[in-house]
Amino acid sequence: PDHTHIIGAAKLSGKLSDGWSIGGLQAFTAREYGHTDSAGVRFADVTEPFTSYSVLRSLREFNQGRQGLGLITTATVRDLNHDYLKPRFNRGAYTLGVDGWTMLDSEQLWVITGWLSATRVEGSTDAITNLQNGSLHYYQRPDISYVSLDPGATSLSGYGGRVALNKQK
């Protein structure tokens, strides 16, 4: 198939009485099949598993927007109901992040911003090895010493962050 069908999705957003803004999105995509002929025998294999995608974001502003604190989380969960799917797809991927800012002067010219996030990907040893070998990671490179290829791994985790001082006007 040339696309995946969304079989259901919902979005909810708004403001709570205590000042938090909140938004969420949940979507489900259908299991997709590819049809193949092999020596005159026609069969169908799953090419995309049933998948759930979730996002939840919240934000609280303080002091008339001079400060803020936000949280975000995402999740992707796949139904790998056939053994041949397990080496090709990650079973789940998750993120959690926090971000914020504070204005340093009354004219709101200078602001300190920052964020911190963590991620985790889970799957079979083959799926995680493929991820480690992929062009975004290259864990197998001989010229780096801070990561190494682990062919027995069933998950990868990581984190990142940033703090910045900005002049806004």
Side-chain angles (χ1 to χ4, degrees):
D2 59 359
H3 62 278
T4 300
H5 292 88
I6 298 173
I7 56 176
K11 177 179 82 168
L12 179 65
S13 63
K15 289 195 173 229
L16 302 176
S17 62
D18 61 356
W20 284 93
S21 298
I22 190 164
L25 175 67
Q26 176 66 51
F28 298 98
T29 58
R31 184 173 289 115
E32 300 293 342
Y33 293 88
H35 300 282
T36 306
D37 281 322
S38 177
V41 177
R42 187 167 175 85
F43 59 94
D45 277 337
V46 175
T47 57
E48 183 69 31
F50 174 80
T51 305
S52 166
Y53 299 94
S54 307
V55 179
L56 181 62
R57 169 74 171 153
S58 62
L59 173 67
R60 174 82 191 266
E61 293 186 14
F62 306 92
N63 301 326
Q64 291 88 29
R66 297 177 56 78
Q67 297 166 321
L69 177 65
L71 300 167
I72 190 167
T73 185
T74 68
T76 301
V77 180
R78 293 185 178 92
D79 178 15
L80 304 179
N81 61 339
H82 297 291
D83 286 339
Y84 64 85
L85 295 174
K86 293 175 183 174
R88 295 178 45 208
F89 293 95
N90 296 316
R91 182 177 58 254
Y94 312 94
T95 64
L96 176 63
V98 61
D99 65 322
W101 73 88
T102 187
M103 303 291 177
L104 297 177
D105 59 335
S106 60
E107 292 81 31
Q108 299 184 13
L109 181 64
W110 293 94
V111 61
I112 293 179
T113 63
W115 61 266
L116 181 64
S117 67
T119 64
R120 181 173 176 87
V121 179
E122 299 172 347
S124 69
T125 55
D126 289 336
I128 298 301
T129 299
N130 289 337
L131 185 62
Q132 292 177 84
N133 283 324
S135 61
L136 289 176
H137 297 94
Y138 286 140
Y139 278 28
Q140 74 278 17
R141 284 178 39 195
D143 60 331
I144 56 174
S145 60
Y146 57 91
V147 293
S148 60
L149 182 66
D150 180 359
T154 57
S155 67
L156 289 177
S157 298
Y159 59 90
R162 178 180 184 203
V163 174
L165 173 64
N166 297 319
K167 184 176 180 182
Q168 298 203 123
K169 295 181 186 175

